[in-house]
Amino acid sequence: MTNNFKKISTKTTVTMKILVIFFGAMINQACTNQANAQQEFLTESVLSTSFTAVVTHKKVMKLSSNANDGDEYELSAEVIKHISGKKQKVINYRMFVEPGEEVVLNRDLVIITLCENKGQYYWPGVGAEFPATEAFIKTAGKAAKMKSNQSPTELGSHCEN
């Protein structure tokens, strides 16, 4: 009876290890797929916006509020690493959000992509901010090089003019 218990216990342990390895591999694959999708979207964002940089946000100020149109904010950020667009040490840009939606200042290093209209920068919407990881900074840099080799008519656009 003791030998049978050891055999069952060993089979259970082996089965559990296999399941742990299987689920670990599945989680790893899911994370890799998500990172690849984010990198593809980052590339698209760099190619189709006016300005990209690694920044740290310093200030946010509510400019206006309208129940029909939403709220307008101005954000100010220190440029840590310029990637594409006009080189600047500080970037100020506008963000429009749903009425009553609060804009919380994220002080982490992030990559932002911005649109420009009549000399003013604005936030193109969801998907315009990315983590400032080494891999994403490298991806953004490659996209900026691609962008510099293309004419503006070859590029898509996340921006409304």
Side-chain angles (χ1 to χ4, degrees), residues 93-134:
Y93 64 96
R94 306 266 168 129
M95 176 185 286
F96 297 89
V97 299
E98 297 292 323
E101 185 178 336
E102 189 176 339
V103 174
V104 178
L105 198 62
N106 176 2
R107 296 199 185 268
D108 295 337
L109 286 179
V110 292
I111 299 170
I112 58 170
T113 60
L114 301 173
C115 295
E116 183 181 7
N117 187 10
K118 297 177 184 170
Q120 290 199 333
Y121 290 100
Y122 66 93
W123 179 265
V126 175
E129 181 177 294
F130 302 85
T133 65
E134 190 175 321

Side-chain angles (χ1 to χ4, degrees), residues 6-16:
K6 284 182 182 177
K7 286 180 186 178
I8 292 171
S9 178
T10 302
K11 285 181 183 179
T12 302
T13 301
V14 169
T15 302
M16 291 302 288

Side-chain angles (χ1 to χ4, degrees), residues 24-136:
M26 295 301 289
I27 290 169
N28 185 46
Q29 184 62 42
C31 291
T32 299
N33 289 345
Q34 183 180 6
N36 288 341
Q38 274 191 308
Q39 286 181 320
E40 287 174 21
F41 193 74
L42 172 58
T43 297
E44 182 183 325
S45 293
V46 172
L47 290 174
S48 60
T49 56
S50 306
F51 179 83
T52 304
V54 176
V55 302
T56 182
H57 286 96
K58 297 296 182 184
K59 187 172 92 174
V60 62
M61 182 173 58
K62 190 173 192 175
L63 299 176
S64 66
S65 184
N66 181 313
N68 296 324
D69 298 330
D71 299 339
E72 181 181 8
Y73 288 85
E74 182 174 78
L75 289 90
S76 180
E78 179 184 352
V79 176
I80 306 301
K81 179 176 178 54
H82 171 265
I83 297 173
S84 73
K86 182 181 171 188
K87 287 190 178 186
Q88 302 179 77
K89 292 182 184 226
V90 173
I91 187 82
N92 295 307
Y93 64 96
R94 306 266 168 129
M95 176 185 286
F96 297 89
V97 299
E98 297 292 323
E101 185 178 336
E102 189 176 339
V103 174
V104 178
L105 198 62
N106 176 2
R107 296 199 185 268
D108 295 337
L109 286 179
V110 292
I111 299 170
I112 58 170
T113 60
L114 301 173
C115 295
E116 183 181 7
N117 187 10
K118 297 177 184 170
Q120 290 199 333
Y121 290 100
Y122 66 93
W123 179 265
V126 175
E129 181 177 294
F130 302 85
T133 65
E134 190 175 321
F136 281 11

